[in-house]
Amino acid sequence: MSDLTLGRAGVDRDRLLRLLQDYGVYAGVAVLLLANIAFTPHFLSTENFRTQAVQVAPVLIVALGMALAIGSEGVDLSVGSVMALATSVISLYLGYGPLIAVVAALVGGALVGVANGALVAFIGVQPIVATLALMVAGRGLALVLLPQLKDVRDPGLRSLGTGDVLGVPYLVLIAAALALLVAFVVRRTTFGRQLLAIGDSRPAAQLAGLPVRRVLILVYVASGVLAAIAGVLATARLTASDPTSLGSLMELSAITAVVVGGTPLTGGRVRIGGTVAGAVLIQLLTATLIKHDLPPSWTQIAQAVVIVLAVYAARERGKR
Amino acid sequence: MTMTDSTAAEKARPAGPAEEEPLGATRAERLSALAQQHGALVTLVIAVIVASLSFDTFLTGDNLENMALSSAFLAVVALGMTFVIVTGGIDLSVGSLFALGGVLAAWGSQYGTVVALLLPLAVCGLIGLVNGLLIARSRLAPFIVTLAAMLGARGLLLAITDEGSTTYLVDKSTFFATLGQGKLLGIGVPVWITLALFVAGAVVLRRTRFGQYVYAVGGNEDAAALMGAPVARTKIGVYTVSGLCAGLAGALNAAWLVSGVTILGSGMELEAISAVVIGGTLLTGGFGFISGSLVGVLLLKVIQNVINQIGSLDSAYQQVVSGAFLAVVVIAQTWLGRRRRVL
């Protein structure tokens, strides 16, 4: 049955839902921005925008990797632990200089990605379980390497965390550059097309002779490295390594950003622009509630409602 | 818009190996099945033997009592989770519901034991019901719905405790406190309650129509629907059971601690899922046992206990070992499952 059997109203409703899913997140960001400009005192200041942007950067970077994983019809629950692992590794290797420490942290993220990818691609474990195992083990490993909070007093890392170019913080520039890079990879490279094909239907991709295993491993490596980058930047901004709490619940925020941004959980489609807007939406929502003196618990409840609404909208779309 | 929705749910789940062993099963097939069913129990026995030979402190009354009690609360949560996972779903909200149930029970205990037990059951059962409705009727992905419930329930918990700063205490002289702290034949009451619940759970899953539907839905949802099984109602049922179990476990835990501790339960969903999977239940659904989940919980707790006993090892190693162990079990399960199907 195709559009022929649908009444005009049906087509319109469908188009409306599609619009809602594709652009609802931008509308949400616009509404929150306008509402804040109108009702929140001191919202419209460069300083405030800087703060919001700096806070959203790590979430966005993690969400970019999550978008790739979800696009391949997977998910990566280990991202928060990878951030913690990265921060521990930095403290451990800082004696060899900041560059080596950062590289070691990224290598650590890549290794977790390889483990996730191997479990998913070669052994056929469901992504949610494979990455669950690494989520538990990764946080433990981070705490084994660095049992408690430690100050990171490296001038290079400090300037990475707090410096800016023409008033735009490095963190924001890096996040923006990574978003552009990931968007380019998804849209313009063979790897991106293969990733979407696998997310659409893995058996079909296999029959078509795509290198399914290699692509899946690369997806999880990308997610691991991006999470590690977020861990490095968070460490640089906080000028401390805190393996106990850094990145906790990050997997939830990242999944929310991706899903709210219109990437379906069923794979086969990745929307990077939507993911950026999704991350901004969550940050704005949190900031709005806090600035109006609503307790943090309300933020959690609000985030839960937003997730369900976004997935519900995506479900209507999935029916087509 | 009359097309049937054959996307997310079915696509995410390959048909599970739910079938009974064929009569002409080969020796290798039977061995694989045996390993899948009893591997956890054998591992548990070996772990207990090794632990008691290595540490004089392992087989002492105090230590065993401690392990039994700390296993009891997780076991009740894992019981509900088993139902969910056998249908091929997952429930990430149980840790939050555990904490929420504990706080509600502690607050309610000032109005008597009945309120202390019914309030958490009502609220957590209701949240489980909403999870089930969204998953079964609106066909949303279980992990995302229960993830939202995890956030929402934790938010609710913080909202009713002034952002976690208020701790409700349980009067030690009440009957409710006895449910947590009392002893029967030298064994803690929560342990007895847990055992009774497991017997009941096993009977429900094995001997009732609802139990049959749970296996049928997990084995192959479409086939179950064609055979006339009430797929949606079964799914709603299992998430409600899971919510009830998590809430009850929280209430018992509050009775044991004589207070509702707000920070409990984070990461508990992972422990419960690990226990169920270690116990031989397939995450793809359609295959599993209640008793296995109990063995899984005990195995996790023995491992944690051993790591605690090795004084030089940091407790962070617990997480590393638990995670690695989960990975090994899942790999073994996948391998055994594949072997059974291929042969």
Side-chain angles (χ1 to χ4, degrees):
Chain A
M1 272 183 268
S2 66
D3 284 353
L4 285 176
T5 57
L6 294 168
R8 227 193 116 63
V11 174
D12 282 346
R13 179 166 174 266
D14 194 57
R15 192 171 292 161
L16 199 69
L17 283 169
R18 182 177 288 235
L19 278 175
L20 184 71
Q21 200 201 343
D22 282 354
Y23 300 106
V25 63
Y26 301 110
V29 169
V31 167
L32 270 177
L33 269 179
L34 290 176
N36 272 305
I37 289 169
F39 299 113
T40 309
H42 315 300
F43 184 80
L44 209 54
S45 70
T46 340
E47 196 43 49
N48 180 47
F49 276 101
R50 257 182 77 111
T51 316
Q52 304 296 337
V54 164
Q55 280 181 354
V56 87
V59 183
L60 170 58
I61 294 171
V62 174
L64 291 172
M66 188 67 80
L68 295 179
I70 291 180
S72 73
E73 212 198 349
V75 74
D76 187 352
L77 296 183
S78 68
V79 287
S81 296
V82 170
M83 285 180 72
L85 200 58
T87 204
S88 293
V89 169
I90 286 183
S91 277
L92 221 59
Y93 280 85
L94 207 52
Y96 303 100
L99 192 65
I100 302 249
V102 168
V103 170
L106 300 191
V107 169
L111 286 178
V112 173
V114 169
N116 280 330
L119 283 171
V120 172
F122 282 94
I123 303 179
V125 177
Q126 289 159 297
I128 186 170
V129 186
T131 56
L132 187 78
L134 266 297
M135 173 188 185
V136 180
R139 177 75 61 180
L141 201 58
L143 286 164
V144 168
L145 294 177
L146 186 73
Q148 72 276 315
L149 190 133
K150 190 177 168 189
D151 281 344
V152 175
R153 298 195 182 286
D154 183 81
L157 275 176
R158 177 178 285 249
S159 73
L160 176 70
T162 53
D164 57 44
V165 184
L166 301 172
V168 185
Y170 287 140
L171 259 59
V172 178
L173 287 174
I174 293 172
L178 286 172
L180 287 174
L181 177 69
V182 173
F184 176 79
V185 166
V186 170
R187 285 176 181 219
R188 300 262 178 251
T189 63
T190 314
F191 169 75
R193 278 193 291 275
Q194 290 174 338
L195 152 69
L196 295 181
I198 291 167
D200 214 25
S201 167
R202 194 166 155 186
Q206 225 134 21
L207 286 174
L210 298 186
V212 173
R213 290 175 168 176
R214 195 178 68 206
V215 172
L216 281 177
I217 291 206
L218 282 176
V219 164
Y220 287 96
V221 167
S223 177
V225 170
L226 285 165
I229 292 175
V232 168
L233 295 181
T235 309
R237 187 164 77 87
L238 301 169
T239 61
S241 285
D242 181 7
T244 319
S245 63
L246 187 75
S248 93
L249 291 185
M250 184 56 95
E251 60 287 342
L252 302 187
S253 299
I255 293 172
T256 313
V258 173
V259 170
V260 170
T263 299
L265 278 169
T266 44
R269 198 155 175 268
V270 172
R271 300 191 69 233
I272 295 302
T275 301
V276 176
V280 171
L281 182 79
I282 297 165
Q283 175 59 32
L284 272 179
L285 196 64
T286 311
T288 309
L289 293 174
I290 290 174
K291 276 183 200 266
H292 287 272
D293 285 333
L294 287 167
S297 56
W298 285 59
T299 317
Q300 292 196 3
I301 297 174
Q303 201 178 334
V305 172
V306 169
I307 298 182
V308 173
L309 286 180
V311 182
Y312 195 81
R315 171 204 78 120
E316 292 289 326
R317 171 68 171 281
K319 276 197 166 172
R320 274 292 291 129
Chain B
M1 306 285 281
T2 50
M3 287 177 153
T4 48
D5 176 10
S6 61
T7 50
E10 290 89 326
K11 205 171 131 198
R13 188 184 317 128
E19 315 85 41
E20 292 289 311
E21 289 304 315
L23 282 174
T26 64
R27 209 178 139 155
E29 267 180 311
R30 280 196 301 262
L31 276 178
S32 296
L34 269 179
Q36 209 161 12
Q37 286 184 21
H38 303 295
L41 190 58
V42 174
T43 317
L44 177 64
V45 171
I46 295 172
V48 168
I49 293 174
V50 170
S52 40
L53 290 178
S54 315
F55 307 102
D56 298 336
T57 43
F58 185 80
L59 277 186
T60 57
D62 273 356
N63 193 42
L64 290 180
E65 193 184 331
N66 246 329
M67 269 199 293
L69 271 172
S70 68
S71 303
F73 308 111
L74 176 61
V76 175
V77 175
L79 174 65
M81 184 73 84
T82 313
F83 279 84
V84 171
I85 293 184
V86 171
T87 65
I90 203 152
D91 188 349
L92 299 179
S93 68
V94 291
S96 293
L97 292 182
F98 178 80
L100 181 63
V103 169
L104 288 171
W107 177 82
S109 68
Q110 55 186 316
Y111 303 105
T113 307
V114 176
V115 177
L117 284 177
L118 284 188
L119 186 65
L121 285 176
V123 174
C124 296
L126 186 69
I127 295 175
L129 179 73
V130 172
N131 280 340
L133 282 171
L134 285 170
I135 291 161
R137 297 254 183 247
S138 304
R139 300 189 141 254
L140 304 186
F143 101 88
I144 206 89
V145 170
T146 55
L147 195 84
M150 170 191 186
L151 271 182
R154 183 69 66 177
L156 189 63
L157 163 69
L158 290 175
I160 60 174
T161 56
D162 303 322
E163 304 305 310
S165 61
T166 307
T167 306
Y168 298 107
L169 296 178
V170 176
D171 186 352
K172 275 194 183 181
S173 62
T174 55
F175 176 67
F176 180 62
T178 321
L179 280 182
Q181 297 212 312
K183 279 190 180 184
L184 201 65
L185 303 175
I187 295 172
V189 174
V191 178
W192 288 110
I193 296 177
T194 304
L195 289 176
L197 286 171
F198 263 81
V199 171
V203 169
V204 168
L205 197 56
R206 281 285 168 199
R207 300 264 175 258
T208 66
R209 182 152 294 213
F210 174 69
Q212 286 176 355
Y213 290 150
V214 170
Y215 279 109
V217 167
N220 186 330
E221 206 176 310
D222 292 336
L226 285 173
M227 291 189 314
V231 174
R233 205 150 28 98
T234 306
K235 285 192 184 177
I236 294 169
V238 295
Y239 288 97
T240 311
V241 166
S242 180
L244 287 171
C245 282
L248 180 62
L252 291 176
N253 188 260
W256 181 52
L257 295 173
V258 289
S259 68
V261 182
T262 53
I263 55 164
L264 288 178
S266 79
M268 196 173 201
E269 60 285 340
L270 307 183
E271 276 190 295
I273 294 167
S274 301
V276 173
V277 173
I278 289 167
T281 299
L282 284 186
L283 270 158
T284 41
F287 183 87
F289 355 78
I290 295 287
S291 57
S293 300
L294 188 58
V295 174
V297 169
L298 292 175
L299 189 52
L300 280 181
K301 289 293 173 185
V302 168
I303 291 172
Q304 284 180 8
N305 195 266
V306 167
I307 290 170
N308 281 338
Q309 303 236 4
I310 309 172
S312 62
L313 276 181
D314 201 291
S315 67
Y317 279 99
Q318 271 184 21
Q319 285 172 298
V320 181
V321 174
S322 301
F325 193 64
L326 176 62
V328 168
V329 168
V330 174
I331 291 169
Q333 253 197 14
T334 316
W335 185 75
L336 286 172
R338 199 178 291 161
R339 198 174 161 74
R340 285 173 71 200
R341 247 171 295 162
V342 169
L343 280 167

